[in-house]
Amino acid sequence: MTSTTSTALPTVERPQPSTARAGRGTRRRMRKDLLRSRIAAWCAVAVIGAFGLLPVYWLLATALSTPESVFQFPPKLVPTDLTLGNFTALAENDQLIKYMVNSLIVASITAVLSVVVATYMGYSFSKFRYRGRRSLMHLVLASQMFPQALLLVTLYAVFSGFGLLNTYTALVLSFTTFTMPLCVWMLKGIFDTVPDALLEAASIDGASRWRTLHSIVAPLAAPGMIAAGLFAFVRGWNDFIFALTLADKEKQTLPPGLVSTYIGEFQTAWPQLMAASLVVSVPVVVAFMFLQRYLVGGMTAGSVKS
């Protein structure tokens, strides 16, 4: 005879109505708080975006306006008399095209020279130990603390003594003096992240130090080298005081060229100046668009050590 025992099932207590309402109220408040935080975040993004894009919009609006409408008071936020004459006049200005060619030549050579020198210096500071290394590192960093005007006086005297005034060489060397220190420290931080075991393995395989740098380390540091080159290019492209002082009109770059072309003693051609400024900023914008991933990677590569 088989006896069966019945097991009592556990009873599940149902939540009280007041507890359920409290839970729903908490979730509702959390959703409202999340919605408010999102709205606040998007409002902050909109305000910051408007703050950053308003000068660009005003630049474009002025470039598309006629000279008469620019000086209207009160100024119009949305111009009505639009014209493309300010842009078409740029193609007819041969001197302005000459300034742009000078800027491309000087900025490109400055970028290449800064990256080449900074690569060797940064690699030396990172992977070699020798007497005076730390002092040289501090000297390179301290060179950024001197005012550019002070360096300009010294460089002008040196270039004048060697007969290099009004040449591309003077502009490239002067631009390199204030782009190279930051490039050196940027690349040093990147080379610090390269494991020493990788260099030792290359040495065991018979690779010389020269080949190790060019075949192994340089490809790994390529994003940082591109970022350093882009920084040097933009710095050389935007310089004003050195290009104005060390070169004449035949060798001047765009910043002093625009000032001398459109800003006079009694009148400033604002629409033409804004149109020219918009056009000459296109190469830098395009370079940033295509190289932004390398720029971000290169700027942050040396910030964390493995």
Side-chain angles (χ1 to χ4, degrees), residues 155 159 164-175 242 246-247:
L155 290 175
F159 292 148
L164 294 177
L165 291 178
N166 303 324
T167 61
Y168 289 139
T169 304
L171 295 178
V172 170
L173 293 179
S174 62
F175 292 169
F242 280 81
L246 300 177

Side-chain angles (χ1 to χ4, degrees), residues 21 23-33:
R21 285 195 298 270
R24 288 194 296 269
T26 302
R27 290 192 295 270
R28 192 178 299 110
R29 285 194 299 271
M30 291 178 61
R31 286 195 294 267
K32 288 182 178 179
D33 293 340

Side-chain angles (χ1 to χ4, degrees), residues 96-243:
L96 190 62
I97 298 176
K98 179 66 175 177
Y99 292 147
M100 182 175 291
V101 173
N102 293 340
S103 290
L104 286 174
I105 294 174
V106 173
S108 300
I109 298 177
T110 300
V112 173
L113 182 61
S114 299
V115 170
V116 171
V117 176
T119 299
Y120 293 114
M121 291 186 67
Y123 185 72
S124 173
F125 290 157
S126 175
K127 298 303 180 183
F128 294 95
R129 299 296 181 267
Y130 48 87
R131 181 177 299 179
R133 165 180 164 272
R134 188 172 297 275
S135 299
L136 287 175
M137 292 169 56
H138 293 163
L139 181 62
V140 171
L141 182 61
S143 63
Q144 292 289 90
M145 303 178 184
F146 292 98
Q148 290 188 12
L150 182 61
L151 294 177
L152 179 60
V153 174
T154 305
L155 290 175
Y156 185 90
V158 172
F159 292 148
S160 177
F162 284 95
L164 294 177
L165 291 178
N166 303 324
T167 61
Y168 289 139
T169 304
L171 295 178
V172 170
L173 293 179
S174 62
F175 292 169
T176 307
T177 57
F178 49 78
T179 58
M180 189 180 64
L182 182 59
C183 293
V184 169
W185 276 88
M186 184 189 303
L187 293 180
K188 178 193 176 297
I190 294 174
F191 291 141
D192 287 341
T193 62
V194 178
D196 293 337
L198 187 63
L199 307 183
E200 295 173 359
S203 178
I204 294 174
D205 290 339
S208 62
R209 293 179 176 178
W210 184 271
R211 184 175 182 182
T212 300
L213 172 60
H214 292 84
S215 301
I216 298 176
V217 179
L220 296 176
M225 297 169 66
I226 294 175
L230 185 58
F231 162 77
F233 180 86
V234 174
R235 191 68 178 84
W237 182 273
N238 293 333
D239 181 80
F240 175 79
I241 185 171
F242 280 81

Side-chain angles (χ1 to χ4, degrees), residues 3 9 14-15 72-73 93 101 111 121 134 148 164 173 182 204 224 239-240 248 258 265 267 275 284 291 305:
S3 61
L9 296 175
R14 295 183 179 180
Q72 288 182 353
F73 186 83
N93 193 335
V101 173
M121 291 186 67
R134 188 172 297 275
Q148 290 188 12
L164 294 177
L173 293 179
L182 182 59
I204 294 174
D239 181 80
F240 175 79
D248 57 4
L258 293 178
E265 184 177 359
Q267 187 178 6
V284 179
L291 302 176
K305 291 186 178 182

